[in-house]
Amino acid sequence: GLERALLLMPDCIVVDVRMPGLDGYQVVRALRGDPTTADIPLIILTALIQDREHFRGLASGADEFLVKPIMPSQLIPIIHQVIRRSQADRQKALRALAEQEPPSDGGADA
């Protein structure tokens, strides 16, 4: 996926959390950490519904964290929204997230 992102430079990337090899959080961090792909809008789409997973996804650098199932008619407007989001807006959202208390995992391993 990372190689394809570098090759194709898509307008937006939607990743799942549970994937073989790297998980979605690792993919998001890798894309945000590479200057070539750092500005690509990123959406995590997953079946994981816990608050800590939502926080972790956004803290990884995703623009949105969505829970499956989602209808294409719901996903498409969100894709358009994140494509229009500026880098300044992304930074502002990350700063606001950094000021929040991470949700407790209830003692479970992540």
Side-chain angles (χ1 to χ4, degrees), residues 37-60:
T37 58
D39 293 332
I40 295 175
L42 303 171
I43 297 172
I44 291 178
L45 178 62
T46 183
L48 301 174
I49 61 171
Q50 297 87 358
D51 288 342
R52 69 179 181 272
E53 298 298 336
H54 183 260
F55 184 90
R56 186 175 175 200
L58 296 178
S60 295

Side-chain angles (χ1 to χ4, degrees), residues 61-97:
D63 293 291
E64 291 290 339
F65 185 96
L66 305 175
V67 177
K68 296 176 186 178
I70 188 168
M71 300 292 294
S73 61
Q74 296 169 303
L75 179 59
I76 291 170
I78 295 169
I79 290 172
H80 289 287
Q81 177 186 11
V82 299
I83 288 172
R84 289 190 304 267
R85 193 170 293 164
S86 70
Q87 184 60 23
D89 289 338
R90 282 190 186 94
Q91 291 298 321
K92 183 178 177 182
L94 276 174
R95 279 193 300 276
L97 188 67

Side-chain angles (χ1 to χ4, degrees), residues 1-66:
L2 293 174
E3 292 172 4
R4 300 283 295 173
L6 285 167
L7 179 67
L8 300 174
M9 294 301 294
D11 293 331
C12 183
I13 297 174
V14 179
V15 298
D16 199 341
V17 171
R18 295 185 177 175
M19 300 184 297
L22 298 177
D23 67 28
Y25 305 125
Q26 293 168 314
V27 170
V28 168
R29 285 192 304 270
L31 291 168
R32 287 289 183 244
D34 184 330
T36 307
T37 58
D39 293 332
I40 295 175
L42 303 171
I43 297 172
I44 291 178
L45 178 62
T46 183
L48 301 174
I49 61 171
Q50 297 87 358
D51 288 342
R52 69 179 181 272
E53 298 298 336
H54 183 260
F55 184 90
R56 186 175 175 200
L58 296 178
S60 295
D63 293 291
E64 291 290 339
F65 185 96
L66 305 175

